[in-house]
């Protein structure tokens, strides 16, 4: 039952690890230059952890991912993504994903990140990629889009959201120390969030039939 | 006595501040220090914070000092995992890390209450140096 | 760029804070750290402070952060020994040691002036953690 | 010319070193417990320095003492006593001491300490032993006391001043962190100042004829 989720998470980890340098470079411009290092370290541990263990349910699997990230990331993104995965673990079904369950998963991630970081959309954080992606899913549900269409729009909105952080001024996290000088740079956390959403969408696509 | 937990991104800052504050303490004030990631890099390690919170005596109260935002986030996460009864004994101070630790150590040693100590270390006066 | 000198009673605090602040700096900001007595104990060493002040580039200004009163006293003594022209380039900040160092490193890297940096790190806002 | 001053300073250093534990114990109650350690370290260096060098003038000798204390003491008392000796070096004559020159020396010490520490009498510091001692000399001058009488009164007033710090609340230095709890303890710096004044007086007595 958890094999599909494990595969998605494994792929997600690979993508983050591949983007280590890119994420670190983005963080060097408006932070302490460790976002890629933090995330790659965390997801390397996630790979080892999930591939070395059997999980009865997606809930157990996601909780294990959450705790691993919390223990190993070392930066703000550790508690933030860790709490996101912890909140996801509480709602994730073992059945195949539907638009409804994806909305619930996405919303839980947002709730978890906001619980920890107290940020709103527009503050130049990971939320600026994730919230538009969840909003896209909600809109697709209203419009009656099929899953394929919904996933496609979700990915596009996450990417737009990531890019929309470029002109934003950071008001949360280390980038906020830069004030106006944070303008003109893409947020590293929004970038890692986009990469995760993109990977999840692409992987779900593979299984769509 | 109110005990003190220092959480820094840097193990050196955490340990050095503990040493500096301990020099000034009277009596049985316990001061614990946690710093850096598991790998010894700059960052925070919620597991280490959790262990430190669990180990230190909280019966008369615990004041936590954190250096920067992501340490605050890690601390708040660990605090959210606690039972309400334990949680109620702990306060994360809006105070400067080094200066707050020294004054908190002195005042706790004097038998001051959590509220008295917090009102000293959270006052803007504390950053005046001259 | 405005450079930064950190003067602590503890070499660990001084070095750890330098490392933490350097992580955040852009460009060519120089950060120097002096801590402890000559014997490596907690305290201040005016000779070491004097050497550090002499060595660091002060052309665009130098901000000094000190942790406690006796470090402030040692710094002020060293500053009194300087020529007026050099002395005028230097300010001892009424700012929290660790938090002030990080923000000063960021703002100096942005090309902010001495006055701009001081107004940020001497503001009471800087000790708020939540 | 400097032999007499050297002998006085050597004896003064011995007294401080002998009182290392006493001064440290006093500082443990209202400070960081290092005043004796700081002072003994500084005056051990002073002994080595002055006994290993020849000085043409008392000015040179006192300047050397000042710089040694500044370099080696490590606590607040380093800049404070260091600046006191530095200021003394500017006024100390090479002739035998008179009430007038002793007043000038004492006043310079006070000025130096106030320059560095910005404290007034009554703040529970070393000044509370030194200022009454200098005031006694000034009074003796007005009263027309002879040197012997003046020195005797000076020492008594220094001791009274030291003891008067017990009921004071500290408002300068580390002891001020204790607020009201600093009351009831004798100030370590006032104690080391008294010990120095006592030693100087006793030594000057030896040469009085
Ligand atoms: N309060 C917050 N809420 C949401 N996201 C945040 C917050 N603070 C920081 N972030 C995100 O975390 C990212 C930085 O993560 P990372 O570099 O790993 O942590 P650190 O800043 O501790 O070095 C930022 O790019 C931003 O997207
Ligand atoms: N501002 C000041 N003015 C005068 N004397 C002071 C001042 N601050 C501290 N002192 C004196 O210094 C003594 C403490 O010296 P010491 O223990 O060597 O330094 P530290 O406090 O740095 O450990 C106090 O007992 C007091 O007499
Ligand atoms: Mg970072
Ligand atoms: Mg970091
Ligand atoms: Mg002391
Ligand atoms: Mg000391």
């Amino acid at each position: 039952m958890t094999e599909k989720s494990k595969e998605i998470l494994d792929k997600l980890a690979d993508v983050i690890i591949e983007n280590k340098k890119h994420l670190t470079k983005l963080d060097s411009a408006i932070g302490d230059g460790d976002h890629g290092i933090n995330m790659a370290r965390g997801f390397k541990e996630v790979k080892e952890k999930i591939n070395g263990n059997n999980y009865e349910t997606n809930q157990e699997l996601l909780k294990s991912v959450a705790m691993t990230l919390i223990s190993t990331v070392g930066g703000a993104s550790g508690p933030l993504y860790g709490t996101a995965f912890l909140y996801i673990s509480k709602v994730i079904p073992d059945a195949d994903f539907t638009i409804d369950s994806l909305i619930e998963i996405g919303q839980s991630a947002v709730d978890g990140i906001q619980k920890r970081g107290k940020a709103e959309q527009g503050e130049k954080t990971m939320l600026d990629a994730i919230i538009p992606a969840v909003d896209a899913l909600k809109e697709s549900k209203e419009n009656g889009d099929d899953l394929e269409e919904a996933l496609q729009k979700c990915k596009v909105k996450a990417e737009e959201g990531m890019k929309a952080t470029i002109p934003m001024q950071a008001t949360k996290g280390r980038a906020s120390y830069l004030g106006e000088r944070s303008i003109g740079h893409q947020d590293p956390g929004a970038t890692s969030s986009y990469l995760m959403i993109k990977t999840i969408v692409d992987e779900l696509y593979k299984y769509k039939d | 006595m109110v005990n003190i937990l220092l959480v820094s991104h840097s193990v050196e800052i955490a340990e050095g501040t503990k040493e500096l504050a301990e020099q000034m303490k009277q009596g049985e004030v316990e001061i614990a220090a946690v710093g850096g990631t598991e790998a010894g890099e700059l960052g925070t390690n919620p597991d280490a914070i959790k262990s430190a919170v669990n180990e230190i005596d909280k019966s008369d109260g615990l004041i936590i000092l954190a250096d920067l935002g992501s340490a605050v986030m890690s601390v708040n996460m660990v605090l959210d995992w606690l039972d309400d009864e334990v949680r109620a004994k702990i306060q994360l101070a809006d105070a400067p890390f080094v200066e707050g630790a020294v004054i908190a150590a002195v005042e706790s040693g004097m038998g001051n209450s959590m509220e008295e100590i917090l009102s000293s270390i959270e006052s803007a006066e504390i950053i005046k140096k001259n």
Side-chain angles (χ1 to χ4, degrees), chain B residues 3 5 30 32-34 47-59 62 82 86:
Chain B
N3 290 330
L5 173 60
E30 243 184 283
V34 182
D47 292 343
I49 298 169
K50 190 181 161 194
S51 304
V53 168
N54 285 338
E55 276 164 30
I56 201 164
D57 178 17
K58 295 166 288 293
S59 48
L62 175 67
L82 299 172
V86 181

Side-chain angles (χ1 to χ4, degrees), chain A residues 41-59:
Chain A
R41 176 172 50 218
F43 277 99
K44 193 171 152 283
E45 293 289 330
V46 165
K47 271 178 82 87
E48 277 183 29
K49 182 82 183 185
I50 64 178
N51 292 322
N53 280 283
N54 289 316
Y55 302 91
E56 291 287 315
T57 59
N58 276 337
Q59 164 156 8

Side-chain angles (χ1 to χ4, degrees), chain B residues 22-76:
Chain B
E22 278 185 336
Q23 239 197 349
M24 290 298 290
K25 76 175 194 189
Q26 307 284 337
E28 304 293 284
V29 190
E30 243 184 283
I31 306 176
V34 182
T37 66
E38 215 194 341
E41 289 157 10
L42 293 178
T44 52
N45 178 350
D47 292 343
I49 298 169
K50 190 181 161 194
S51 304
V53 168
N54 285 338
E55 276 164 30
I56 201 164
D57 178 17
K58 295 166 288 293
S59 48
D60 295 336
L62 175 67
I63 288 176
I64 303 182
L65 288 146
D67 59 355
L68 298 176
S70 40
V72 170
M73 231 182 256
S74 294
V75 168
N76 278 328

Side-chain angles (χ1 to χ4, degrees), chain B residues 74-122:
Chain B
S74 294
V75 168
N76 278 328
M77 182 175 61
V78 169
L79 297 183
D80 283 348
W81 295 338
L82 299 172
D83 293 343
D84 287 353
E85 201 192 335
V86 181
R87 177 68 189 82
K89 293 283 192 183
I90 306 175
Q91 293 264 15
L92 179 62
D94 269 330
F97 192 78
V98 175
E99 297 84 350
V102 171
I103 302 294
V106 172
E107 295 207 359
S108 173
M110 286 159 55
N112 282 6
S113 70
M114 188 101 147
E115 290 63 41
E116 287 168 322
I117 301 170
L118 286 173
S119 102
S120 295
I121 67 176
E122 294 184 341

